[in-house]
Amino acid sequence: MGRFMAKFTRRTWLESAGGWAVGAAAGASWLAGCRPRGSSSGRRVLKVFNWSDYIAPEVIPAFEAAHDCTVVYDNFASDSELEARLATGGGAYDVVFPSDRTMHALVAKQLLAPLDRNRLSNWTNLDPEFLSRPHDPRNEFSAPYFWGTLAAAYLPDFIDEPVTGFDVLLDPRRPVRPARLTMLDDGENVIGGMLMHLGRPLNSVAAADLAAVQALLLEQRPRVQAYTSDSYKERLVSGDAWAAMGWSGDLLQAATEAASIGREVRVVVPERGTIIWLDSMAIPRGAQNVELAHAFIDWLLDAEQAAANAEYVSYATPNGAALALLPAEMRADESIYPPAATRARCEWLENRGREITKIEAVWRKVKA
Ligand code: N2P
């Protein structure tokens, strides 16, 4: 897997951090925390809030040049961070990237502005399979960006038994001191992944199911070195962590980076099924630059931009026109696009309304 990724990825995520700093010095102001350039001269500024490691580095400077604007680019690492930020001041951003489950909340709280389809000339590139999902049935507020799965990765140098899924994270033989596992810092996903591992419905809030998951997670806890939604990549690459639960594309980015230093990281999409999700582009209510926000979303919907972006981030594209442009090897990569049998066993997180407090209660005990 890492082998061909290294070939197709323009810059790896570790290198790109340096690359962005160079870009910022050269005038591209999208490194988080950079001062927006030229705002005093009236140059338009677009404020973007996206997941970390989730865009190809060349996309932003190319958009800035084409639209004579400055993009201020800021990152978050969890759904709750995005939701909290929008709830306390959505107008600070023009384009954000919510997951399907966060969309439920953002739509319900009326924190998003409607999209103007007339300004999105590339809309028809999108694969209908990823449109009209329950989180936004008429796509009034969101345009699909990437989809992926909740997956696991491990270092075969330290773990040599066959791995088919989250079993690799639950083996009592893993050491405690130091602990060598990482799990996402995200209760709904961790608990959901474990429910599916146990063969229970992903969206179950049945007491017996949650008790079984809680027992599993409390038993695992001493072997977990961190609950983290971003640092698992560095930990895998350095060999500090031997196995991690993570988002499919980020685990593949780690595999690519590890391969460049001669270390193997294997990515596994659980055969017995896992969570499938979709992240979207949306405009917060109160955004300052709605016209430029549409232009940016349309830019990312462009087939060539979306294909370059997909090659870089190693997530699955919901853009059918972009998919057709990807190298055949990448389209055939089962860690990115799971085989039909696995895919058929994947489930989406549903909006569980107030029942979510039952999930939160389990998570509080795990993190206590
Ligand atoms: C990107 C993580 C996005 C996946 N680093 C979670 N929706």
Side-chain angles (χ1 to χ4, degrees), residues 51-54 99 247 250 277 279 315:
W51 295 86
S52 44
D53 304 323
Y54 212 27
S99 68
W247 313 113
D250 285 69
W277 49 261
D279 289 338
Y315 280 100

Side-chain angles (χ1 to χ4, degrees), residues 50-55 76-79 97-101 145-149 184 186 189 229-230 232-233 246-251 253 277-280 313 315:
N50 194 2
W51 295 86
S52 44
D53 304 323
Y54 212 27
I55 199 160
F76 58 89
S78 71
D79 282 305
F97 293 72
S99 68
D100 48 282
R101 70 165 165 167
Y145 183 59
F146 282 115
W147 66 273
T149 57
L184 284 180
D186 180 321
N189 274 285
S229 296
D230 49 8
Y232 57 88
K233 291 190 283 191
W247 313 113
S248 49
D250 285 69
L251 295 171
Q253 291 173 27
W277 49 261
L278 173 68
D279 289 338
S280 295
V313 300
Y315 280 100

